[in-house]
Amino acid sequence: MLKKLTYITLFALALTSCSDTLDDINKNPNATETPLAPYLLTGTLKQGADLYWGDANNFNSSLLFVQHWAKIQYTEPDRYDVSNTSFTSLWNTGYATLITDLNTIINFPADQANSNYKGIALTLRSWTFLLLTDAYGSIPYKEAGLKVTPAYNTQKEVYTGLLEDLKQAQSLLNTANGTVTGDLVYKGDIAKWKKLVNSFRLRIALRIADREPALAKQAAIEATSDAAGVLSSNNDTFKFTYTSSPQQNPASAWFETRDDFRISKTLVDKLTELSDPRLPVYAQLPSDATVGKYVGGANGLSNSDANSQGFAKTSKPGTYFLTSASPAVIASYSETLFNLAEAVARGYISGNAEQLYNDAITASFNQFGITNAATISTYLNQTSVKYDASNYAKSIGTQKWIAFYGQGLDAFTEWRRLDYPVLTAGPATVLDGQLPSRFFYPGTEQSLNGVSYQAAIAAQGKDLLTTKLWFDVK
Protein backbone atom coordinates (compact mmCIF):
# COMPACT_ATOMS: atom_id res chain seq x y z
CA MET A 1 0.00 0.00 0.00
CA LEU A 2 2.80 2.39 0.93
CA LYS A 3 4.56 1.58 -2.33
CA LYS A 4 1.36 2.32 -4.23
CA LEU A 5 0.96 5.70 -2.49
CA THR A 6 4.56 6.54 -3.32
CA TYR A 7 3.92 5.91 -7.03
CA ILE A 8 0.79 8.07 -6.92
CA THR A 9 2.70 10.90 -5.23
CA LEU A 10 5.55 10.70 -7.73
CA PHE A 11 3.08 10.66 -10.63
CA ALA A 12 1.31 13.74 -9.29
CA LEU A 13 4.63 15.55 -8.87
CA ALA A 14 5.58 14.60 -12.41
CA LEU A 15 2.31 16.03 -13.74
CA THR A 16 2.85 19.25 -11.82
CA SER A 17 6.39 19.53 -13.13
CA CYS A 18 5.18 18.81 -16.67
CA SER A 19 2.47 21.46 -16.33
CA ASP A 20 4.98 24.02 -15.08
CA THR A 21 7.28 23.16 -17.97
CA LEU A 22 4.46 23.58 -20.50
CA ASP A 23 3.51 26.90 -18.93
CA ASP A 24 7.09 28.07 -19.36
CA ILE A 25 7.17 26.85 -22.96
CA ASN A 26 3.88 28.64 -23.77
CA LYS A 27 5.13 31.98 -22.47
CA ASN A 28 6.31 34.45 -25.08
CA PRO A 29 9.52 35.93 -23.66
CA ASN A 30 9.09 38.97 -25.93
CA ALA A 31 5.53 39.77 -24.86
CA THR A 32 4.45 41.75 -21.82
CA GLU A 33 1.93 40.06 -19.57
CA THR A 34 0.57 43.46 -18.55
CA PRO A 35 -0.28 45.78 -21.45
CA LEU A 36 1.16 49.25 -21.14
CA ALA A 37 -1.00 52.36 -21.55
CA PRO A 38 1.33 54.09 -24.07
CA TYR A 39 1.34 51.07 -26.39
CA LEU A 40 -2.43 50.66 -26.17
CA LEU A 41 -2.88 54.37 -26.92
CA THR A 42 -0.57 54.23 -29.94
CA GLY A 43 -2.34 51.13 -31.26
CA THR A 44 -5.85 52.57 -30.92
CA LEU A 45 -4.86 55.80 -32.64
CA LYS A 46 -3.39 53.92 -35.60
CA GLN A 47 -6.20 51.36 -35.81
CA GLY A 48 -8.83 54.07 -35.40
CA ALA A 49 -7.35 56.09 -38.26
CA ASP A 50 -7.19 52.99 -40.46
CA LEU A 51 -10.80 52.17 -39.63
CA TYR A 52 -12.00 55.71 -40.39
CA TRP A 53 -10.00 56.17 -43.60
CA GLY A 54 -9.88 52.56 -44.85
CA ASP A 55 -11.75 50.99 -47.74
CA ALA A 56 -14.68 49.28 -46.00
CA ASN A 57 -16.04 52.31 -44.15
CA ASN A 58 -14.75 55.11 -46.32
CA PHE A 59 -13.98 54.80 -50.00
CA ASN A 60 -15.95 51.59 -50.62
CA SER A 61 -19.08 52.86 -48.87
CA SER A 62 -19.60 56.29 -47.32
CA LEU A 63 -17.50 58.22 -49.86
CA LEU A 64 -19.67 56.63 -52.55
CA PHE A 65 -22.93 57.33 -50.69
CA VAL A 66 -22.13 61.08 -50.50
CA GLN A 67 -20.75 61.11 -54.06
CA HIS A 68 -17.24 62.24 -53.22
CA TRP A 69 -15.81 59.21 -55.04
CA ALA A 70 -17.24 56.91 -57.69
CA LYS A 71 -16.40 53.41 -58.90
CA ILE A 72 -15.11 52.96 -62.42
CA GLN A 73 -15.11 49.17 -62.12
CA TYR A 74 -16.49 46.64 -59.60
CA THR A 75 -19.38 49.04 -59.15
CA GLU A 76 -21.56 46.98 -56.79
CA PRO A 77 -20.96 49.23 -53.72
CA ASP A 78 -21.66 52.32 -55.82
CA ARG A 79 -24.99 50.78 -56.84
CA TYR A 80 -25.73 49.88 -53.17
CA ASP A 81 -25.71 46.21 -54.12
CA VAL A 82 -24.29 45.17 -50.76
CA SER A 83 -25.12 42.75 -47.95
CA ASN A 84 -24.89 42.43 -44.19
CA THR A 85 -21.29 41.27 -44.58
CA SER A 86 -20.29 44.58 -46.20
CA PHE A 87 -20.13 46.70 -43.06
CA THR A 88 -18.59 44.37 -40.49
CA SER A 89 -15.21 46.03 -39.96
CA LEU A 90 -16.54 49.19 -38.29
CA TRP A 91 -18.55 47.06 -35.88
CA ASN A 92 -15.98 44.32 -35.25
CA THR A 93 -12.90 46.52 -34.97
CA GLY A 94 -14.82 49.21 -33.13
CA TYR A 95 -15.94 46.84 -30.40
CA ALA A 96 -13.38 44.03 -30.28
CA THR A 97 -10.28 46.20 -30.70
CA LEU A 98 -10.79 49.90 -30.06
CA ILE A 99 -13.38 49.88 -27.29
CA THR A 100 -11.79 46.82 -25.65
CA ASP A 101 -8.32 48.38 -25.55
CA LEU A 102 -9.62 51.79 -24.48
CA ASN A 103 -11.61 50.18 -21.66
CA THR A 104 -8.39 48.51 -20.55
CA ILE A 105 -6.74 51.93 -20.18
CA ILE A 106 -9.79 53.37 -18.43
CA ASN A 107 -9.81 50.48 -15.93
CA PHE A 108 -6.08 50.53 -15.21
CA PRO A 109 -5.08 51.37 -11.62
CA ALA A 110 -3.53 54.81 -11.18
CA ASP A 111 0.01 53.43 -11.13
CA GLN A 112 -0.48 52.05 -14.68
CA ALA A 113 -2.33 54.99 -16.24
CA ASN A 114 -2.68 58.50 -14.87
CA SER A 115 -5.95 60.37 -15.29
CA ASN A 116 -4.80 61.99 -18.54
CA TYR A 117 -4.49 58.57 -20.14
CA LYS A 118 -7.97 57.75 -18.87
CA GLY A 119 -9.38 61.04 -20.17
CA ILE A 120 -7.85 60.48 -23.60
CA ALA A 121 -9.12 56.89 -23.67
CA LEU A 122 -12.63 58.03 -22.72
CA THR A 123 -12.51 60.66 -25.48
CA LEU A 124 -11.45 58.11 -28.09
CA ARG A 125 -14.02 55.60 -26.85
CA SER A 126 -16.71 58.28 -27.17
CA TRP A 127 -15.57 58.98 -30.73
CA THR A 128 -15.76 55.25 -31.55
CA PHE A 129 -19.27 54.92 -30.15
CA LEU A 130 -20.23 58.05 -32.10
CA LEU A 131 -19.05 56.51 -35.37
CA LEU A 132 -20.98 53.34 -34.59
CA THR A 133 -24.29 54.98 -33.76
CA ASP A 134 -24.02 57.44 -36.66
CA ALA A 135 -23.64 54.50 -39.04
CA TYR A 136 -25.95 51.84 -37.59
CA GLY A 137 -28.36 53.62 -35.22
CA SER A 138 -29.14 51.69 -32.05
CA ILE A 139 -26.02 49.91 -30.77
CA PRO A 140 -24.71 48.14 -27.67
CA TYR A 141 -23.44 50.99 -25.49
CA LYS A 142 -24.03 50.67 -21.75
CA GLU A 143 -23.45 46.90 -21.73
CA ALA A 144 -20.73 46.85 -24.40
CA GLY A 145 -17.72 44.94 -23.11
CA LEU A 146 -19.64 43.82 -20.03
CA LYS A 147 -21.86 41.08 -21.45
CA VAL A 148 -21.47 38.50 -24.20
CA THR A 149 -24.91 39.41 -25.57
CA PRO A 150 -25.26 43.09 -24.71
CA ALA A 151 -28.54 44.95 -25.07
CA TYR A 152 -28.75 47.74 -27.61
CA ASN A 153 -29.33 51.34 -26.60
CA THR A 154 -31.34 53.72 -28.74
CA GLN A 155 -29.48 56.41 -30.65
CA LYS A 156 -30.91 59.06 -28.32
CA GLU A 157 -29.55 57.15 -25.32
CA VAL A 158 -26.14 56.82 -26.94
CA TYR A 159 -25.82 60.49 -27.86
CA THR A 160 -26.93 61.72 -24.44
CA GLY A 161 -24.68 59.17 -22.74
CA LEU A 162 -21.70 60.32 -24.81
CA LEU A 163 -22.28 63.92 -23.76
CA GLU A 164 -21.92 62.78 -20.15
CA ASP A 165 -18.88 60.64 -20.97
CA LEU A 166 -17.18 63.62 -22.58
CA LYS A 167 -17.91 65.77 -19.54
CA GLN A 168 -16.14 63.14 -17.48
CA ALA A 169 -13.25 63.03 -19.95
CA GLN A 170 -12.88 66.80 -19.62
CA SER A 171 -12.71 66.51 -15.84
CA LEU A 172 -9.99 63.84 -16.07
CA LEU A 173 -7.76 65.87 -18.39
CA ASN A 174 -5.43 68.32 -16.65
CA THR A 175 -1.86 69.38 -17.39
CA ALA A 176 -1.05 68.76 -13.73
CA ASN A 177 -2.17 65.12 -13.88
CA GLY A 178 0.97 63.63 -15.39
CA THR A 179 2.61 63.20 -18.78
CA VAL A 180 1.35 61.05 -21.64
CA THR A 181 3.52 59.14 -24.08
CA GLY A 182 2.42 57.05 -27.06
CA ASP A 183 0.26 59.91 -28.34
CA LEU A 184 1.04 60.07 -32.06
CA VAL A 185 -1.48 62.84 -32.73
CA TYR A 186 -1.14 65.57 -30.10
CA LYS A 187 2.20 64.45 -28.64
CA GLY A 188 0.83 64.55 -25.11
CA ASP A 189 -0.50 68.12 -25.41
CA ILE A 190 -3.38 67.94 -22.92
CA ALA A 191 -4.66 71.42 -23.83
CA LYS A 192 -5.35 70.19 -27.38
CA TRP A 193 -7.11 67.08 -26.10
CA LYS A 194 -9.36 69.30 -23.97
CA LYS A 195 -10.23 71.38 -27.04
CA LEU A 196 -11.04 68.19 -28.95
CA VAL A 197 -13.38 67.03 -26.18
CA ASN A 198 -15.39 70.25 -26.39
CA SER A 199 -15.46 70.09 -30.18
CA PHE A 200 -16.90 66.58 -29.99
CA ARG A 201 -19.49 67.84 -27.48
CA LEU A 202 -20.50 70.55 -29.94
CA ARG A 203 -20.65 67.97 -32.76
CA ILE A 204 -23.03 65.78 -30.75
CA ALA A 205 -25.13 68.79 -29.71
CA LEU A 206 -25.92 69.36 -33.37
CA ARG A 207 -26.57 65.66 -33.96
CA ILE A 208 -29.50 65.87 -31.54
CA ALA A 209 -30.62 69.40 -32.48
CA ASP A 210 -33.63 68.43 -34.60
CA ARG A 211 -34.90 66.01 -31.96
CA GLU A 212 -33.90 67.53 -28.62
CA PRO A 213 -33.35 71.27 -29.22
CA ALA A 214 -33.35 72.25 -25.54
CA LEU A 215 -30.73 69.65 -24.64
CA ALA A 216 -28.76 70.51 -27.79
CA LYS A 217 -28.69 74.18 -26.82
CA GLN A 218 -27.53 73.36 -23.29
CA ALA A 219 -24.80 71.06 -24.62
CA ALA A 220 -23.64 73.68 -27.15
CA ILE A 221 -23.44 76.35 -24.47
CA GLU A 222 -21.50 74.08 -22.13
CA ALA A 223 -19.08 73.01 -24.86
CA THR A 224 -18.35 76.53 -26.08
CA SER A 225 -18.21 78.22 -22.68
CA ASP A 226 -15.79 75.71 -21.16
CA ALA A 227 -12.49 77.39 -20.32
CA ALA A 228 -10.53 74.89 -22.44
CA GLY A 229 -12.18 76.15 -25.63
CA VAL A 230 -12.71 74.30 -28.90
CA LEU A 231 -10.35 73.65 -31.82
CA SER A 232 -9.07 77.13 -32.63
CA SER A 233 -6.65 76.71 -35.55
CA ASN A 234 -5.58 74.18 -38.14
CA ASN A 235 -2.76 73.27 -35.75
CA ASP A 236 -5.47 71.85 -33.45
CA THR A 237 -6.96 69.59 -36.13
CA PHE A 238 -7.16 66.01 -34.91
CA LYS A 239 -5.38 63.95 -37.56
CA PHE A 240 -3.22 60.87 -37.72
CA THR A 241 -0.17 61.40 -39.93
CA TYR A 242 1.10 58.26 -41.61
CA THR A 243 4.70 57.57 -42.62
CA SER A 244 5.78 54.98 -45.17
CA SER A 245 4.83 51.41 -46.01
CA PRO A 246 3.64 49.43 -44.14
CA GLN A 247 2.52 52.33 -41.89
CA GLN A 248 1.04 54.19 -44.82
CA ASN A 249 -2.24 55.88 -45.54
CA PRO A 250 -4.87 53.24 -46.49
CA ALA A 251 -5.80 55.01 -49.72
CA SER A 252 -2.16 55.11 -50.74
CA ALA A 253 -1.84 51.38 -50.16
CA TRP A 254 -5.03 50.70 -52.15
CA PHE A 255 -4.00 52.71 -55.21
CA GLU A 256 -0.62 50.99 -55.36
CA THR A 257 -2.29 47.82 -56.60
CA ARG A 258 -5.80 48.80 -57.75
CA ASP A 259 -7.45 51.33 -60.03
CA ASP A 260 -11.18 51.22 -59.41
CA PHE A 261 -12.03 54.67 -57.97
CA ARG A 262 -12.44 58.13 -59.44
CA ILE A 263 -13.47 61.44 -57.94
CA SER A 264 -17.24 61.77 -58.36
CA LYS A 265 -18.70 63.76 -61.23
CA THR A 266 -21.14 65.28 -58.71
CA LEU A 267 -18.32 66.86 -56.76
CA VAL A 268 -16.24 67.86 -59.79
CA ASP A 269 -19.26 69.58 -61.33
CA LYS A 270 -19.96 71.50 -58.10
CA LEU A 271 -16.33 72.57 -57.67
CA THR A 272 -16.17 73.63 -61.32
CA GLU A 273 -19.41 75.60 -60.97
CA LEU A 274 -17.97 77.48 -57.99
CA SER A 275 -14.48 77.93 -59.52
CA ASP A 276 -13.30 76.25 -56.35
CA PRO A 277 -9.49 76.25 -56.02
CA ARG A 278 -9.65 73.01 -54.03
CA LEU A 279 -10.39 71.08 -57.25
CA PRO A 280 -6.70 70.56 -58.20
CA VAL A 281 -6.10 69.31 -54.64
CA TYR A 282 -9.08 66.97 -54.63
CA ALA A 283 -8.48 65.53 -58.11
CA GLN A 284 -5.81 64.69 -60.65
CA LEU A 285 -6.05 65.55 -64.32
CA PRO A 286 -6.85 62.48 -66.44
CA SER A 287 -3.78 60.58 -67.58
CA ASP A 288 -4.84 61.22 -71.20
CA ALA A 289 -3.34 64.69 -71.64
CA THR A 290 -5.69 65.46 -74.54
CA VAL A 291 -8.62 65.70 -72.10
CA GLY A 292 -7.08 68.74 -70.44
CA LYS A 293 -9.63 69.20 -67.66
CA TYR A 294 -10.91 67.47 -64.53
CA VAL A 295 -13.52 64.83 -65.28
CA GLY A 296 -15.39 62.99 -62.55
CA GLY A 297 -16.82 59.52 -62.74
CA ALA A 298 -20.59 59.16 -62.56
CA ASN A 299 -22.01 57.32 -59.54
CA GLY A 300 -24.26 54.31 -59.64
CA LEU A 301 -23.42 52.95 -63.08
CA SER A 302 -23.30 49.37 -64.29
CA ASN A 303 -19.84 47.92 -64.67
CA SER A 304 -19.91 48.28 -68.45
CA ASP A 305 -21.13 51.88 -68.36
CA ALA A 306 -18.60 52.81 -65.70
CA ASN A 307 -15.75 51.24 -67.70
CA SER A 308 -16.86 53.05 -70.85
CA GLN A 309 -16.13 56.43 -69.24
CA GLY A 310 -12.46 55.65 -69.83
CA PHE A 311 -9.78 54.94 -67.27
CA ALA A 312 -7.45 57.46 -68.91
CA LYS A 313 -10.15 60.06 -69.46
CA THR A 314 -11.38 60.43 -65.87
CA SER A 315 -9.78 61.93 -62.78
CA LYS A 316 -8.37 59.97 -59.88
CA PRO A 317 -8.52 61.49 -56.38
CA GLY A 318 -5.78 64.06 -55.78
CA THR A 319 -2.25 63.01 -54.88
CA TYR A 320 -2.68 64.95 -51.62
CA PHE A 321 -4.81 62.01 -50.45
CA LEU A 322 -2.81 59.19 -52.02
CA THR A 323 0.74 59.57 -50.72
CA SER A 324 2.08 57.24 -48.04
CA ALA A 325 2.19 60.07 -45.51
CA SER A 326 -1.21 61.62 -46.32
CA PRO A 327 -2.91 62.50 -43.03
CA ALA A 328 -6.14 60.91 -41.84
CA VAL A 329 -8.13 63.95 -40.68
CA ILE A 330 -10.71 62.98 -38.06
CA ALA A 331 -11.84 66.31 -36.59
CA SER A 332 -10.86 69.54 -38.36
CA TYR A 333 -10.79 73.17 -37.35
CA SER A 334 -13.00 73.85 -40.37
CA GLU A 335 -15.69 71.47 -39.11
CA THR A 336 -15.66 73.13 -35.69
CA LEU A 337 -16.17 76.57 -37.27
CA PHE A 338 -19.08 75.27 -39.36
CA ASN A 339 -20.57 73.82 -36.19
CA LEU A 340 -20.16 77.13 -34.37
CA ALA A 341 -21.85 78.89 -37.29
CA GLU A 342 -24.80 76.51 -37.12
CA ALA A 343 -25.07 76.82 -33.34
CA VAL A 344 -25.30 80.60 -33.78
CA ALA A 345 -27.83 80.24 -36.62
CA ARG A 346 -30.01 78.05 -34.40
CA GLY A 347 -29.87 80.61 -31.61
CA TYR A 348 -27.94 78.33 -29.26
CA ILE A 349 -24.95 80.62 -28.73
CA SER A 350 -24.10 84.22 -29.55
CA GLY A 351 -21.88 85.19 -32.46
CA ASN A 352 -21.81 86.08 -36.14
CA ALA A 353 -22.92 83.04 -38.15
CA GLU A 354 -21.86 84.53 -41.49
CA GLN A 355 -18.36 85.36 -40.27
CA LEU A 356 -17.95 81.89 -38.75
CA TYR A 357 -19.15 80.34 -42.03
CA ASN A 358 -16.59 82.37 -44.00
CA ASP A 359 -13.90 81.48 -41.47
CA ALA A 360 -14.80 77.79 -41.86
CA ILE A 361 -14.36 77.91 -45.64
CA THR A 362 -11.09 79.81 -45.19
CA ALA A 363 -9.86 77.20 -42.71
CA SER A 364 -10.67 74.46 -45.23
CA PHE A 365 -8.73 76.30 -47.93
CA ASN A 366 -5.77 76.72 -45.58
CA GLN A 367 -5.97 73.04 -44.58
CA PHE A 368 -5.38 72.12 -48.21
CA GLY A 369 -2.59 74.64 -48.74
CA ILE A 370 -4.61 77.47 -50.32
CA THR A 371 -3.63 80.64 -48.50
CA ASN A 372 -3.80 83.48 -51.04
CA ALA A 373 -6.08 86.12 -49.51
CA ALA A 374 -7.32 87.46 -52.87
CA THR A 375 -8.21 83.93 -54.06
CA ILE A 376 -10.16 83.25 -50.88
CA SER A 377 -11.93 86.62 -50.96
CA THR A 378 -12.98 86.17 -54.59
CA TYR A 379 -14.44 82.77 -53.76
CA LEU A 380 -16.34 83.98 -50.69
CA ASN A 381 -17.85 86.93 -52.54
CA GLN A 382 -19.59 84.77 -55.13
CA THR A 383 -23.37 84.92 -54.90
CA SER A 384 -23.51 81.11 -54.97
CA VAL A 385 -21.14 80.88 -52.00
CA LYS A 386 -22.30 83.74 -49.79
CA TYR A 387 -24.00 82.76 -46.55
CA ASP A 388 -27.79 82.62 -46.78
CA ALA A 389 -29.24 83.33 -43.34
CA SER A 390 -32.69 82.28 -44.55
CA ASN A 391 -31.42 78.77 -45.34
CA TYR A 392 -28.34 78.18 -43.20
CA ALA A 393 -28.66 74.41 -43.71
CA LYS A 394 -28.10 74.78 -47.44
CA SER A 395 -25.12 77.13 -47.09
CA ILE A 396 -23.44 75.19 -44.30
CA GLY A 397 -24.47 71.77 -45.59
CA THR A 398 -23.08 72.35 -49.08
CA GLN A 399 -19.80 73.85 -47.95
CA LYS A 400 -19.33 71.30 -45.17
CA TRP A 401 -19.89 68.53 -47.74
CA ILE A 402 -17.08 70.00 -49.84
CA ALA A 403 -14.77 70.49 -46.84
CA PHE A 404 -15.37 66.93 -45.60
CA TYR A 405 -13.85 65.45 -48.78
CA GLY A 406 -12.11 62.21 -47.80
CA GLN A 407 -13.91 61.93 -44.44
CA GLY A 408 -16.69 59.70 -45.69
CA LEU A 409 -18.31 58.65 -42.42
CA ASP A 410 -18.80 62.19 -41.13
CA ALA A 411 -19.70 63.55 -44.56
CA PHE A 412 -22.39 60.85 -44.76
CA THR A 413 -23.77 61.76 -41.35
CA GLU A 414 -23.86 65.50 -41.96
CA TRP A 415 -25.41 65.07 -45.40
CA ARG A 416 -28.23 63.04 -43.84
CA ARG A 417 -28.67 65.57 -41.03
CA LEU A 418 -28.58 68.82 -43.05
CA ASP A 419 -30.08 67.40 -46.29
CA TYR A 420 -27.69 69.36 -48.52
CA PRO A 421 -26.52 69.15 -51.17
CA VAL A 422 -29.39 67.39 -52.93
CA LEU A 423 -27.96 64.15 -54.33
CA THR A 424 -29.52 61.83 -56.90
CA ALA A 425 -29.04 58.07 -57.03
CA GLY A 426 -27.30 56.74 -60.13
CA PRO A 427 -29.21 54.96 -62.92
CA ALA A 428 -28.16 51.40 -62.00
CA THR A 429 -28.65 51.64 -58.23
CA VAL A 430 -30.88 49.05 -56.55
CA LEU A 431 -32.81 51.03 -53.90
CA ASP A 432 -35.63 52.28 -56.14
CA GLY A 433 -34.08 55.70 -56.54
CA GLN A 434 -33.25 56.15 -52.87
CA LEU A 435 -29.80 56.67 -51.37
CA PRO A 436 -28.58 54.81 -48.27
CA SER A 437 -29.45 56.20 -44.86
CA ARG A 438 -27.41 53.80 -42.71
CA PHE A 439 -25.21 50.70 -42.65
CA PHE A 440 -26.59 47.17 -42.27
CA TYR A 441 -25.91 45.50 -38.94
CA PRO A 442 -23.36 42.68 -39.34
CA GLY A 443 -25.04 39.35 -40.00
CA THR A 444 -23.27 37.87 -36.99
CA GLU A 445 -25.47 39.98 -34.70
CA GLN A 446 -28.50 37.97 -35.81
CA SER A 447 -26.84 34.68 -34.96
CA LEU A 448 -24.78 35.62 -31.89
CA ASN A 449 -26.89 38.34 -30.27
CA GLY A 450 -30.27 37.63 -31.80
CA VAL A 451 -32.56 38.67 -28.94
CA SER A 452 -30.93 42.09 -28.61
CA TYR A 453 -30.78 42.52 -32.38
CA GLN A 454 -34.48 41.75 -32.80
CA ALA A 455 -35.40 44.17 -30.01
CA ALA A 456 -33.33 46.89 -31.66
CA ILE A 457 -34.90 46.60 -35.11
CA ALA A 458 -38.38 46.32 -33.59
CA ALA A 459 -37.85 49.78 -32.09
CA GLN A 460 -35.73 51.40 -34.82
CA GLY A 461 -37.16 49.89 -37.99
CA LYS A 462 -36.16 47.17 -40.40
CA ASP A 463 -32.48 46.42 -40.91
CA LEU A 464 -32.40 48.10 -44.32
CA LEU A 465 -30.05 50.63 -45.91
CA THR A 466 -33.02 52.97 -46.35
CA THR A 467 -34.26 52.98 -42.74
CA LYS A 468 -33.80 56.48 -41.38
CA LEU A 469 -32.06 56.87 -38.03
CA TRP A 470 -33.34 58.86 -35.06
CA PHE A 471 -31.25 61.97 -35.76
CA ASP A 472 -32.23 62.01 -39.46
CA VAL A 473 -35.55 63.81 -39.16
CA LYS A 474 -36.24 64.98 -42.72
Side-chain angles (χ1 to χ4, degrees), residues 424-443:
T424 303
T429 53
V430 299
L431 299 180
D432 296 325
Q434 297 184 73
L435 283 82
S437 291
R438 60 182 292 272
F439 282 8
F440 286 128
Y441 289 119

Side-chain angles (χ1 to χ4, degrees), residues 61-128:
S61 56
S62 54
L63 282 181
L64 303 176
F65 298 169
V66 296
Q67 298 182 10
H68 279 175
W69 285 16
K71 296 280 279 187
I72 198 164
Q73 59 178 332
Y74 315 121
T75 63
E76 286 78 12
D78 206 6
R79 294 188 286 111
Y80 323 136
D81 185 8
V82 293
S83 71
N84 60 13
T85 63
S86 301
F87 307 112
T88 58
S89 71
L90 179 59
W91 187 279
N92 292 344
T93 303
Y95 281 110
T97 303
L98 299 184
I99 290 170
T100 297
D101 287 351
L102 293 166
N103 279 340
T104 299
I105 297 175
I106 292 167
N107 295 324
F108 270 151
D111 62 343
Q112 286 184 251
N114 62 46
S115 65
N116 282 329
Y117 277 111
K118 295 175 186 287
I120 290 171
L122 189 52
T123 303
L124 293 173
R125 192 185 74 175
S126 299
W127 170 68
T128 306

